[in-house]
Amino acid sequence: MRIAVGSTNPTKVKAVENVMRRIYGDVEVFGVEVDSGVSDQPIGLEETTRGAVNRAKQALEKTGADLGVGIEAGIYPFPKTLTGYLDIQVCAVASPDGMITVGHGPGFEYPPVVIEKVLNEGVEVGIAMGELVKDPELKKKIGAIGVLSKGLLTRTELNEIAVLMAMIPRLNRELYFEKE
């Protein structure tokens, strides 16, 4: 089975590989550069989800793989938080039959200075967070979540959760797609 990830970010590709190997065994997972069709810093569930779906569909179309996977991180308004926003990773999985399944991972909050830069200066959270901790390559490594969780959760692991959630309907076809 060939699985194309709509990104060349190593944390996203590795997350897809880790989950798909647990599900399917021996798979070929590779990244491909695509355009998400959304802003560099998606804001809101709708825009973040659209980016993930666009990435999945383009990965599938560009490669002819068995599955196309898109992962898009974004922030969205959330009540009772310090900044008013949480960050989530949305994953979409597309197959040649036109089926798209979607899931997302847990949400976490960025420091207020990061959200302020995003909202006031249009800076991407990964860049703002990288500047804050003086690591411009942060989003390609443990990610903001790795720093903020003191290493208890990496960006790859966070993305794995979103990938697995998007696979739930595919793992339970009889519950989601079988007609009685």
Side-chain angles (χ1 to χ4, degrees):
M1 175 178 272
R2 296 178 66 241
I3 301 168
V5 181
S7 175
T8 57
N9 182 309
T11 66
K12 292 180 180 183
V13 175
K14 187 64 175 165
V16 173
E17 181 180 324
N18 290 347
V19 172
M20 297 305 186
R21 285 214 167 131
R22 286 169 49 204
I23 293 171
Y24 297 115
D26 188 29
V27 294
E28 177 190 352
V29 178
F30 56 95
V32 59
E33 194 67 44
V34 299
D35 181 4
S36 69
V38 298
S39 62
D40 288 343
Q41 180 52 66
I43 298 176
L45 289 173
E46 198 281 325
E47 184 181 17
T48 307
T49 303
R50 189 170 66 243
V53 169
N54 289 346
R55 286 178 181 280
K57 288 166 119 181
Q58 284 185 46
L60 192 63
E61 290 166 9
K62 273 187 154 184
T63 65
D66 298 300
L67 291 175
V69 180
I71 301 171
E72 190 73 40
I75 61 171
Y76 72 105
F78 201 88
K80 308 291 184 197
T81 55
L82 299 171
T83 63
Y85 291 87
L86 287 182
D87 178 274
I88 57 161
Q89 289 61 47
V90 174
C91 178
V93 179
S95 48
D97 62 4
M99 182 194 318
I100 297 172
T101 54
V102 179
H104 72 70
F108 70 93
E109 192 164 9
Y110 280 102
V113 67
V114 171
I115 295 300
E116 287 167 16
K117 279 190 163 235
V118 169
L119 299 177
N120 298 332
E121 300 172 31
V123 176
E124 187 181 335
V125 290
I127 292 169
M129 193 66 200
E131 289 172 359
L132 184 65
V133 301
K134 297 176 181 30
D135 184 353
E137 296 295 308
L138 183 65
K139 71 181 195 172
K140 293 182 180 177
K141 300 188 295 194
I142 64 169
I145 191 63
V147 171
L148 297 172
S149 72
K150 305 291 187 194
L152 295 174
L153 186 68
T154 67
R155 186 166 190 212
T156 299
E157 293 165 333
L158 188 64
N159 284 328
E160 285 176 6
I161 297 167
V163 174
L164 179 57
M165 295 305 103
M167 290 298 293
I168 293 291
R170 293 171 188 276
L171 290 169
N172 297 279
R173 288 182 177 276
E174 71 284 0
L175 299 175
Y176 289 83
F177 305 110
E178 301 291 319
K179 296 201 171 38
E180 293 183 21

